[in-house]
Structure formats: structure tokens, C-alpha cells
Amino acid sequence: MVMPRTNDSVVEAFSPANGIRFVYSDVTGVARRLVAGHGVSAAAAPAFGRVLACAALMQVDFIDDDETLVVSIDVGGRFGGFTIEFDGCGYLRGAPFETRPDTIVNPAGGDADDFFGFGARVKATRMKREDGAIRSQMTMETKPDRSAAPETLFSEILSSAIPSRICTSASAWIGVPERVRALAVQRVPGGSEQVFGRICGLVDDGTLAEQLSSDPTLDAMRDVLDLPDLFSGPTRAVDFGCTCSEEKILAAWAGLPPQEIIGFVRAGRPRLFRCHLCGRVWEIPLGKIVAAAKEAAESNQ
Ligand SMILES: [Zn+2]
């Protein structure tokens, strides 16, 4: 169970009379942590936040407590792609493939679509959290002329189960993400097509995105959606959490060829390792690397 440092969460809501379900995510805290960790530019921060908010929606149906969901997306735009990991305990981490988007994105801004472009390849893998054993995998490729915006891509992933539409709201103040939220609207089997269509209209005309940014409370949503019976389920906490550790880095380096270890020692300074998922930089003392390599060599004899 996550003890959140922020209000980041995922909540489900349901309108029984119409068979419409909603999933809401707020990942502002995680977005702040990852934007800072990866040095994402001010212009790109809200776009990256939208990816995280959409990915967080997937937790509800796609993973169990003992699982990790890994979503890798190649997009045609300037970001190039993302990897996002989310585990069943509510820990979220991830990165744009280009770890320094400030070098590829015009800091003055530009069209948000520039970051995503058109056409995408999506791979979603459910793994066992303990040992990484793959439980299931789905891949999806969108046409080159289709928007690769996260709202579009994640709507398609969710729609593989039931009809779904997603809208997001994400802003940033001097490069620091604020109010990074997403809402999925879903029609459960037997749910009203007419009401689902009406609410998709509120996604398309921007009404719901505006409501997400200003007041996403249940009362306000009942009004704007005109669904008086809307009620919400339990709130699940979401927090930043990465699995990188000194132990894992040492285990990986211990298996390197001896010449490379000798090269590390010749350099005469601690070795740096930057985690590609969270941006944390680990400084590993040479002594520990040598000791781990010796131990690995001895156990192989
Ligand atoms: Zn990490």
C-alpha cells in the first residue's frame, strides 16, 4: 500500500442508471518528480504529464497487486517515445526515450502535437513484480495519419475491452507541472449508447478538460455530466516509485568482461549510473564494483 506524499490518486465512478463508468487520475506529484528527474523542458512538461495521467488510468483494469504494467510507445513526433511502468501497489515511473527533450524541443513552445506527431507503435506488457515473468502482452500499431496523442492511444487500449474515451488536463508553471489529470469515460456492456455519445461530445468540445482543470470533484462532475446518480468508488493512492537500486546496478556491472572492470579502475573515480526510468543518478564507489565483480567471478568458477 502506497503512503502518498501528494494527492496523486486513481478513482472510479459509476452511473448505474446509464451504464457509464469513469476513471479519474491525478498524477501531478509524480509528473513533477519525473519532469525534474529527466530535465524535461518547460514546453514539453505538460505533454509528458498527459502521458503519465493516461497511463495511470490503466491500473484499474489491467494490473493486480503483484504485477507491473510496462507500456512502451514509439511516436512519430519529437518525443520519439516513452516507457511508463506502473505497478499494482500504485508506484508509477517512466521517461521519454530522449532523456533530454530540451535538446530536441523548441523551448519557445510550438504545437503540442509536435511532441507526439502521427502514427504510433504501442506495446503493453504485464509482468510479475517479483521476477519480471511476462503474464500477457499486447501490441498495437496506429496508422501513420492518426494522431499519436496519448488520449487517442490510451483510449484505443482501453477500448479493446469496452468503448472508452479519454480527456486530459495538464499545465505547467515555469516548467513545474500543475494539475495533471485524466478522465476516461467508458460504456459498460448494456450501457446507454446515447448517453455515452453525449459525454463523448463533452470530451470533443473541451468541456470536460476544462472541468478537469478547474473542479473535478464528484458534485461538480455530476452537474457537468448531468448524471445525478454518479457515485465514486474507493480512492487508490498513486506515488512515484522506482525499482532502481545500488544492488541491482552492481549485479549488472559484476557480469561485465574483466577488461571493462579494469577500465573502470583505471579511470580512478566512482562510476555514475543514470536510471533511464526515473532519472536518478547513482554514484557507485569503485571498491564496491571490484568486490561485486570478484564475487561474481568466484561463484562462476
Ligand atoms: Zn530509477
Side-chain angles (χ1 to χ4, degrees), residues 93 240 242-245 275-280 282:
R93 51 194 166 266
F240 164 77
C242 192
T243 53
C244 57
S245 68
C275 173
H276 72 287
L277 278 175
C278 70
R280 177 169 175 178
W282 293 83

Side-chain angles (χ1 to χ4, degrees), residues 153-259:
L153 300 177
F154 283 93
S155 291
E156 284 197 26
I157 296 172
L158 292 179
S159 295
S160 65
I162 50 175
S164 307
R165 283 289 286 280
I166 295 176
C167 66
T168 61
S169 168
S171 54
W173 172 250
I174 328 177
V176 178
E178 287 191 322
R179 294 189 297 274
V180 181
R181 296 164 180 165
L183 184 73
V185 185
Q186 302 186 293
R187 184 172 65 80
V188 303
S192 166
E193 285 185 30
Q194 187 250 325
V195 173
F196 180 69
R198 176 175 67 74
I199 294 170
C200 287
L202 298 176
V203 173
D204 293 338
D205 70 12
T207 304
L208 278 184
E210 197 175 318
Q211 193 64 38
L212 269 186
S213 91
S214 62
D215 182 5
T217 56
L218 189 61
D219 280 345
M221 283 294 176
R222 272 193 198 112
D223 279 351
V224 76
L225 295 165
D226 193 20
L227 296 174
D229 67 332
L230 190 68
F231 74 93
S232 64
T235 299
R236 303 165 203 222
V238 174
D239 205 349
F240 164 77
C242 192
T243 53
C244 57
S245 68
E246 187 176 273
E247 203 182 8
K248 278 191 183 172
I249 299 163
L250 282 171
W253 283 353
L256 290 174
Q259 308 89 287

Side-chain angles (χ1 to χ4, degrees), residues 108-148:
D111 191 340
D113 281 342
D114 283 0
F115 302 126
F116 303 110
F118 296 88
R121 265 204 316 275
V122 179
K123 190 162 102 178
T125 309
R126 286 168 56 171
M127 300 190 307
K128 214 162 174 292
R129 203 146 54 87
E130 295 290 296
D131 57 8
I134 292 175
R135 286 196 167 156
S136 68
Q137 202 163 55
M138 72 159 278
T139 54
M140 185 184 89
E141 203 154 334
T142 65
K143 292 202 176 108
D145 60 350
R146 286 214 58 188
S147 163

